[in-house]
Amino acid sequence: MKKTLLAAALLAGFASAAQAQSSVTLYGLVDVGYVYTKTDGVDSNNELASGNQSGSRWGLQGAEDLGGGLKATFLLESGFDQGTGQSLQGGRLFGRQSWAGLSGGFGDIRFGRQVTITSEFFGAVDPFGAGFNAANLGNTFVAMDTVRTDNTIKYISPNSAASRAASTTAPRTTVTNPLFRQPTTVWLAQLCVTRTARC
């Protein structure tokens, strides 16, 4: 009995220590607006529109300190239509992103559904933040649109003085952009030159 109580106390202590070193953030964004459009020779249109500037979403982002400068990380992000409550990205629960990975002195490696490096890079430099529908860069240059791939392995190098490198591979993936056919293998590589922490 004493051994059982001691083991339970040790487990509780380890759980408390792990909890103190981990963090999970619940976040979200709701974008909804009333849209009135009128074109010459065409009847006017009134509608409640979701995702005018940015897609409505909620998500969970977390990190667990594993010691020695190593962290386990994850991101689960769900897109939805605010007007109907339906899940977007083909009805997936976490259709925007769903990945887990490791972060340390070597950089970051992530496994799962995530946006491509090109999408991350141009989302950062697009003055409209890849939002505002027809105004963003993705509507002019399709490769700059937000492209999400399944079963993706992404590596992002640590920050150096002025640059950061990244690459992804996504074998037998399903993508949410008509630029690609399914199934396909996607290989992208990129070198970013930046003064910020984001590639």
Side-chain angles (χ1 to χ4, degrees):
M1 182 67 177
K2 290 182 179 179
K3 289 181 179 180
T4 303
L5 290 174
L6 178 59
L10 286 173
L11 285 173
F14 286 134
S16 298
Q19 187 175 14
Q21 297 173 355
S22 64
S23 65
V24 176
T25 301
L26 172 65
Y27 65 91
L29 181 154
V30 177
D31 185 326
V32 63
Y34 173 77
V35 178
Y36 170 83
T37 54
K38 178 68 173 79
T39 305
D40 289 343
V42 180
D43 290 339
S44 62
N45 184 46
N46 299 272
E47 63 177 331
L48 182 69
S50 179
N52 295 289
Q53 192 275 318
S54 299
S56 296
R57 80 214 48 183
W58 69 275
L60 294 165
Q61 185 169 21
E64 175 79 26
D65 190 349
L66 302 177
L70 189 65
K71 290 184 179 180
T73 57
F74 73 90
L75 177 64
L76 303 172
E77 190 171 272
S78 178
F80 63 92
D81 186 309
Q82 190 275 340
T84 64
Q86 293 180 327
S87 293
L88 300 179
Q89 290 79 44
R92 302 172 189 232
L93 177 58
F94 295 111
R96 292 181 64 89
Q97 294 198 74
S98 175
W99 57 261
L102 291 172
S103 176
F106 58 87
D108 293 89
I109 186 165
R110 303 168 184 170
F111 306 89
R113 179 173 172 80
Q114 48 197 307
V115 297
T116 61
I117 305 165
T118 308
S119 299
E120 285 194 19
F121 174 73
F122 285 106
V125 301
D126 186 346
F128 295 104
F132 287 109
N133 298 318
N136 71 67
L137 284 174
N139 281 279
T140 305
F141 305 100
V142 178
M144 299 179 190
D145 202 0
T146 300
V147 179
R148 299 179 176 91
T149 53
D150 295 336
N151 307 311
T152 301
I153 303 170
K154 179 188 289 184
Y155 169 73
I156 303 175
S157 73
N159 280 329
S160 67
S163 65
R164 201 174 190 193
S167 66
T168 62
T169 181
R172 296 185 303 279
T173 188
T174 300
V175 297
T176 56
N177 190 293
L179 180 65
F180 302 105
R181 294 183 177 179
Q182 305 170 9
T184 187
T185 299
V186 178
W187 173 261
L188 296 170
Q190 165 186 14
L191 177 64
C192 309
V193 178
T194 178
R195 294 183 179 274
T196 67
R198 181 174 178 178
C199 186

